[in-house]
Amino acid sequence: MILFDFHHHNRENTYGIYNLEPKEIVTEKKFSVGIHPKDIDENWEENFEKIKEISLLPNCVAIGECGLDGLISLNENLQKEVFEKHILWANQIKKPVIIHCVKRFSEIIPFQKTAKIPLVIHGFNKKKTIADEMLRHGFYLSFGKSVLHSLSLQSILKEFPLEKIFLETDDANFNIEELYQKTAEIKGISIENLHNKILKNLESLPIKI
Ligand SMILES: [Zn+2]
């Protein structure tokens, strides 16, 4: 069974959303494109123009990853400015946004008001209080490899509504089937059923696959 990988960095993967970097050659597979906060530099505006162009392609299904990162030294206001640009553009082309967030969840929340499209926090591996808060504000959460070994994430996932979940490998090297298996077990449903739910969630973004 081929399982959908919501966010990955493997160009060979055919069933998922490839995280394309703006300077990379465009792929024919489904992808998202954006400026990761760590890649914001003096040329970001120029890069953003390129993103605008690439993101109009029909196989570009989302904007991102983009967002806020509290562990890098880059000026926070600049990070917010670049993130907002992504959201406004996503509004315009009506594609969802895949968000990278490190230690800045409370600052991500207000952007929900700006967004007219769904927002998905990728690689979620924080506390339950944060998961609840994000849910309350309408965010989707995409979970990755950490679920396999973190008991706290497993208990978050147990209670988190299936309608708001995605699963991803990100840049980790493992088989996504392990993650589906674990999640299905936590949710007490079959892998097939879980996969169908994830495909429904994609439709709700809406992403056609
Ligand atoms: Zn990533």
Side-chain angles (χ1 to χ4, degrees):
M1 186 177 191
I2 309 172
L3 300 160
F4 195 85
D5 190 343
F6 186 76
H7 172 87
H8 67 84
H9 294 254
N10 174 5
R11 266 186 98 95
E12 304 304 307
N13 188 336
T14 51
Y15 198 46
I17 303 172
Y18 176 66
N19 189 79
L20 186 89
E21 300 200 7
K23 49 185 178 288
E24 241 181 300
I25 298 168
V26 171
T27 165
E28 283 174 5
K29 295 162 189 159
K30 302 269 185 277
F31 69 91
S32 67
V33 66
I35 306 175
H36 191 289
K38 73 170 168 35
D39 296 329
I40 299 171
D41 58 18
E42 63 279 7
N43 302 321
W44 76 267
E45 281 172 299
E46 202 181 301
N47 289 335
F48 195 77
E49 288 309 308
K50 204 164 166 213
I51 287 171
K52 279 176 148 180
E53 202 180 297
I54 300 172
S55 59
L56 293 172
L57 292 169
N59 59 325
C60 175
V61 295
I63 294 295
E65 58 185 300
C66 55
L68 305 177
D69 193 321
L71 289 183
I72 58 174
S73 58
L74 187 79
N75 179 286
E76 273 192 38
N77 288 331
L78 178 59
Q79 289 195 42
K80 283 186 184 168
E81 185 188 341
V82 177
F83 182 44
E84 188 179 36
K85 275 254 187 187
H86 283 78
I87 295 198
L88 294 174
W89 176 247
N91 283 345
Q92 229 173 304
I93 62 168
K94 298 188 172 59
K95 292 185 180 177
V97 179
I98 299 175
I99 298 173
H100 165 95
C101 178
V102 176
K103 294 188 181 289
R104 288 292 177 271
F105 286 92
S106 57
E107 284 145 85
I108 289 282
I109 290 171
F111 284 96
Q112 187 64 274
K113 290 206 180 75
T114 314
K116 296 187 176 72
I117 32 74
L119 302 179
V120 185
I121 305 278
H122 102 84
F124 186 83
N125 64 358
K126 291 291 165 269
K127 288 183 294 198
K128 180 161 179 355
T129 47
I130 298 179
D132 290 344
E133 191 68 3
M134 300 321 280
L135 178 63
R136 209 162 61 78
H137 287 92
F139 290 81
Y140 290 76
L141 298 185
S142 179
F143 295 85
K145 195 179 180 187
S146 313
V147 167
L148 299 179
H149 51 79
S150 158
L151 293 178
S152 121
L153 265 185
Q154 290 170 13
S155 75
I156 289 172
L157 202 47
K158 193 175 169 75
E159 282 165 43
F160 209 78
L162 264 174
E163 300 72 47
K164 287 289 192 176
I165 288 174
F166 292 103
L167 299 174
E168 61 174 57
T169 56
D170 197 7
D171 52 5
N173 188 15
F174 73 107
N175 191 339
I176 190 119
E177 201 174 328
E178 274 180 74
L179 183 55
Y180 271 82
Q181 178 69 57
K182 189 75 197 168
T183 307
E185 196 184 297
I186 292 166
K187 289 297 200 187
I189 57 175
S190 67
I191 290 201
E192 290 77 8
N193 194 353
L194 172 62
H195 193 235
N196 285 334
K197 298 268 193 231
I198 300 270
L199 297 183
K200 268 230 166 69
N201 296 349
L202 281 169
E203 271 172 38
S204 74
L205 291 182
I207 289 178
K208 284 203 190 76
I209 50 153

